[in-house]
Amino acid sequence: MNTFLWICLCPFLYLSYAQKTPSLSQEIAFVIETVRQNQLTFQEAVTYVAPYIEKTKKKHKNELAGTLYYMLSKKAKNTTVKHTYLDSTIHATKNQKVGSKLLMKAYFLKGVVYDTERKYNLALEYYLLAQKLTEANKDIEYQYNVKFNIAFLHRRIRNYEQSEKFFKECLEFELQRDSLDILGYFNVLFQLSSTYYESEKTDACTAINKQGISFALAHDKQDLYHYFVINEGINLNIKGNYKASIDSIEKGTSYLYENDQLVAEFYLAKSYHQLGEAEKSLQYFQKIDTVFQQTNNLLPALRPTYEYLITAAKKN
């Protein structure tokens, strides 16, 4: 080869080689994509990812190690294991400016895990840490995701004033979007409706249910329509209009997920009880008990089921 030509080509050969050698961050992105696309089990993912975690540590790339820990925390099924990987994510990214968005997500997911464990004080603590970072990162979308979970947590612990406040803020955010997110808007509206009937603000609940029914019909969403019809049925039970309550709830129970079906059937049971139809009432209460025996998980709103069952047992 001509010497001059070789000297001229050398820089281009070097550049070509450099372009083919991925950076560590590109390598980690490839690892995450590989785990996702191949649908590896949690244990397979741990085995595959471990050498890359070591590599990031040796190169003092804590934010990249944190990214891998976070991915594993999302894949883990066991809550203790989830906490372990989330703690590692937080430790790796806490002092990394680059990792602030990752830290925000780790705090939020840790809050979610505590929420599922019913450790509500700890869940709220981590939600609030996540919320601070959403503000620092100016991530409005994520800010309202966190706010929605905070509102739902307040509803679960029956702090209805705070729950209503946060759900209203979320609703305002949904309405201000450039293009309406139908499911996002529905979800907030439905949670606000549920907050109102639980706090016995029955008129406010009816107003929201009418709004939800009109919205569902306008967008041809039959499943969403039935959720609001049932919520109004529950609201009618609280108002003392038991026959109308039964009619509304029975229209749409089959459209609901199991947990939501149990809530609807609890109010059916209460309405039948108030109308003196003890046998029908008891059937629904017994169904709730059967599900609880199978899952060992009962929504707080359904706990009065056992007051009815104990009373019925004493009579018999």
Side-chain angles (χ1 to χ4, degrees):
M1 181 183 282
N2 183 294
T3 305
F4 176 75
L5 183 60
W6 170 249
I7 291 168
C8 289
L9 282 175
C10 270
F12 294 104
L13 289 169
Y14 175 78
L15 280 172
S16 175
Y17 176 76
Q19 285 170 355
K20 287 176 184 176
T21 306
S23 67
L24 186 56
S25 59
Q26 288 172 324
E27 203 173 348
I28 298 308
F30 175 77
V31 168
I32 291 169
E33 188 62 18
T34 302
V35 171
R36 188 184 67 80
Q37 285 191 351
N38 290 283
Q39 297 181 333
L40 300 183
T41 66
F42 173 69
Q43 203 51 56
E44 287 169 344
V46 170
T47 304
Y48 176 61
V49 165
Y52 295 97
I53 290 176
E54 288 307 310
K55 193 172 182 179
T56 59
K57 285 180 177 178
K58 281 177 185 174
K59 296 199 174 184
H60 305 291
K61 297 290 185 181
N62 288 346
E63 71 278 8
L64 293 177
T67 303
L68 293 174
Y69 286 134
Y70 181 71
M71 179 196 68
L72 291 173
S73 75
K74 290 181 78 175
K75 279 196 79 69
K77 303 293 182 192
N78 180 281
T79 55
T80 304
V81 177
K82 274 186 177 292
H83 279 305
T84 300
Y85 280 106
L86 285 169
D87 289 340
S88 296
T89 308
I90 291 164
H91 179 74
T93 57
K94 203 164 188 178
N95 299 316
Q96 299 289 318
K97 197 171 182 181
V98 179
S100 60
K101 281 207 170 187
L102 180 59
L103 183 60
M104 171 186 78
K105 291 178 180 179
Y107 280 149
F108 180 60
L109 187 53
K110 197 154 173 75
V112 170
V113 178
Y114 275 131
D115 213 334
T116 60
E117 294 176 312
R118 303 177 209 168
K119 295 176 181 175
Y120 300 125
N121 288 339
L122 287 168
L124 184 58
E125 182 185 324
Y126 278 93
Y127 286 152
L128 293 174
L129 286 169
Q131 191 176 44
K132 278 185 183 177
L133 286 177
T134 64
E135 291 162 8
N137 291 320
K138 297 179 181 177
D139 192 330
I140 303 299
E141 181 85 27
Y142 213 85
Q143 185 179 338
Y144 281 92
N145 286 343
V146 176
K147 197 168 280 194
F148 180 89
N149 276 42
I150 291 172
F152 190 71
L153 187 151
H154 279 301
R155 183 189 153 203
R156 287 188 72 154
I157 61 175
R158 301 183 182 185
N159 188 355
Y160 295 120
E161 191 176 330
Q162 286 297 304
S163 180
E164 181 185 344
K165 173 181 175 287
F166 286 118
F167 279 135
K168 278 183 171 178
E169 288 176 16
C170 290
L171 193 63
E172 193 175 324
F173 168 72
E174 292 296 337
L175 290 169
Q176 287 174 353
R177 285 180 182 275
D178 292 336
S179 58
L180 185 66
D181 175 358
I182 291 176
L183 286 179
Y185 176 71
F186 156 76
N187 212 2
V188 178
L189 205 63
F190 180 74
Q191 291 299 332
L192 191 55
S193 162
S194 301
T195 301
Y196 281 142
Y197 80 64
E198 285 179 10
S199 57
E200 298 189 1
K201 290 187 175 181
T202 53
D203 290 341
C205 183
T206 295
I208 289 287
N209 290 332
K210 283 180 179 176
Q211 195 176 330
I213 287 167
S214 297
F215 172 77
L217 291 173
H219 290 84
D220 195 25
K221 296 287 183 183
Q222 285 298 313
D223 50 345
L224 308 189
Y225 164 81
H226 285 99
Y227 268 86
F228 285 107
V229 168
I230 285 171
N231 256 24
E232 185 55 25
I234 292 169
N235 196 40
L236 287 165
N237 170 279
I238 293 162
K239 286 180 176 180
N241 193 344
Y242 303 116
K243 284 186 177 178
S245 171
I246 290 167
D247 181 59
S248 289
I249 294 172
E250 285 185 339
K251 275 180 182 175
T253 308
S254 61
Y255 290 85
L256 307 182
Y257 292 111
E258 186 177 66
N259 270 349
D260 297 323
Q261 278 186 353
L262 288 180
V263 174
E265 287 168 351
F266 172 73
Y267 283 96
L268 273 179
K270 284 183 74 175
S271 289
Y272 279 121
H273 178 81
Q274 290 294 334
L275 293 171
E277 297 190 44
E279 197 173 317
K280 270 192 174 180
S281 173
L282 192 58
Q283 284 174 2
Y284 286 114
F285 286 132
Q286 285 172 337
K287 184 177 176 183
I288 293 166
D289 177 52
T290 300
V291 173
F292 174 61
Q293 297 302 327
Q294 292 168 350
T295 63
N296 197 32
N297 185 20
L298 191 70
L299 293 169
L302 306 185
R303 285 174 189 160
T305 294
Y306 288 95
E307 294 170 23
Y308 289 98
L309 288 174
I310 289 165
T311 302
K314 284 179 180 176
K315 281 183 181 178
N316 293 326

